[in-house]
């Protein structure tokens, strides 16, 4: 299925003569949803080909990737184990409840242990504890995930759109790496702008390391993290609520809301030349809204 591309209409866009489209990756699967589905696709195929029955992965207590992996277990017939950063909460949040309901075995480890998650000794300890499994890294980012994300721009070209700019939110950098390499394979000269939802300058180097060859048509807009991962400000919340009311498209507060806020802010500041076409990737993450509202008092509509 090709995920729909919708045009966003608004006064500012008309005034600045910008054509803004959104690719609804949040509609690509009913439960796995968004870029996490793209990232899991070839990993699930590989796990099956390797004869693995169990998927094991890592994440925080509100992680979209944990949610998606649990959903993928149900949808594709794998057992799942989630290694969760931090202490077990007294009341499980909606993400963890969903994971458990989908049969995911949750294993909580301290933040310091969590830092060891890529160490071979730690992984062999996990094998002793849980038996054989197919390992998916935190956030789902690996070469097969990047291969899955390369299909997003390939689809856009099939849908006959050649935007001047692709924009997307960035966490570990796996998805943007796939967009960059996918566009390069199609000899596209679109530019790619990533909006990190984390604070810090480490991401550029990590994306460069994930890319097999250097590319110059991408950059990170680091001004829209709102204080860091899972941090927010009132103007972000009102923007997300207003966007939903005006366009009937829900955005999440961790990733897609920050990106869309950034796009409109940059448009107002005249960053994009007149007559530019922008394609924003809606990477999903909508499962996080309920847990966010539980924590912060139902501020998102
Ligand atoms: C995980 C996630 C991202 C970040 O993707 P990376 O490949 O880790 O950069 C962006 N948006 C949403 C909604 C996500 O769930």
């Amino acid at each position: 299925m090709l995920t729909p591309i919708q045009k966003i209409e608004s006064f500012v866009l008309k005034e600045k003569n910008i054509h803004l489209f959104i690719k609804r990756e949040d509609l690509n699967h009913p439960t796995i949803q968004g870029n996490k589905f793209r990232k899991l696709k070839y990993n699930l195929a590989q796990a099956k080909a390797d004869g693995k029955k169990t998927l094991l992965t890592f994440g925080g207590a509100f992680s979209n990737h944990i949610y998606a992996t649990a959903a993928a277990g149900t949808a594709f017939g794998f057992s799942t184990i989630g290694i969760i950063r931090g202490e077990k909460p007294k009341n499980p949040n909606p993400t963890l409840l969903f994971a458990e309901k989908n049969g995911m075995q949750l294993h909580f480890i301290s933040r310091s242990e969590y830092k060891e998650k890529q160490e071979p000794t730690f992984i062999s300890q996990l094998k002793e504890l849980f038996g054989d499994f197919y390992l998916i890294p935190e956030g789902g980012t690996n070469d097969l995930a990047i291969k899955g994300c390369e299909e997003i721009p390939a689809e856009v070209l099939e849908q006959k759109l050649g935007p001047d700019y692709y924009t997307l939110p960035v966490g570990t950098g796996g998805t943007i790496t796939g967009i960059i390499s996918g566009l390069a394979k199609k000899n596209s000269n679109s530019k790619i702008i990533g909006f990190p939802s984390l604070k810090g300058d480490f991401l550029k180097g990590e994306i460069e390391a994930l890319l097999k060859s250097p590319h110059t048509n991408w950059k990170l807009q680091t001004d829209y993290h709102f204080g860091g991962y899972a941090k927010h400000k009132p103007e972000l919340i009102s923007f997300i609520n207003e966007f939903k009311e005006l366009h009937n498209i829900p955005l999440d507060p961790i990733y897609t809301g920050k990106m869309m806020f950034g796009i409109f802010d940059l448009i107002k500041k005249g960053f994009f030349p007149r007559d530019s076409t922008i394609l924003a990737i809606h990477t999903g993450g909508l499962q996080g809204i309920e847990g966010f509202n539980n924590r912060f008092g139902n501020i998102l509509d």
Side-chain angles (χ1 to χ4, degrees), residues 35-36 39 64-65 139 141 149 168-176 197 252 255-256 282-286:
N35 65 339
K36 299 305 184 283
K39 294 173 86 171
N64 294 333
H65 169 64
T141 292
C149 292
L168 73 155
V170 177
T172 62
T175 307
I176 193 171
S197 37
D252 82 293
Y255 291 107
T256 55
H282 192 316
T283 45
L286 300 175

Side-chain angles (χ1 to χ4, degrees), residues 163-183:
D164 301 303
Y165 299 89
Y166 280 74
T167 69
L168 73 155
V170 177
T172 62
T175 307
I176 193 171
T177 300
I179 305 276
I180 297 166
S181 54
L183 282 169

Side-chain angles (χ1 to χ4, degrees), residues 169-202:
V170 177
T172 62
T175 307
I176 193 171
T177 300
I179 305 276
I180 297 166
S181 54
L183 282 169
K185 284 183 179 169
K186 300 284 181 186
N187 297 315
S188 155
N189 54 11
S190 295
K191 298 180 179 72
I192 304 109
I193 303 177
F195 292 81
S197 37
L198 294 86
K199 211 154 82 175
D201 294 324
F202 59 97

Side-chain angles (χ1 to χ4, degrees), residues 23 62 66 118 171 185 196 221-222 224 254 272 279 291 293:
K23 183 163 172 68
F62 293 89
I66 288 291
Q118 295 185 35
K185 284 183 179 169
Q221 268 293 343
T222 52
Y224 299 100
I254 315 289
F272 298 102
L279 177 69
N293 270 339

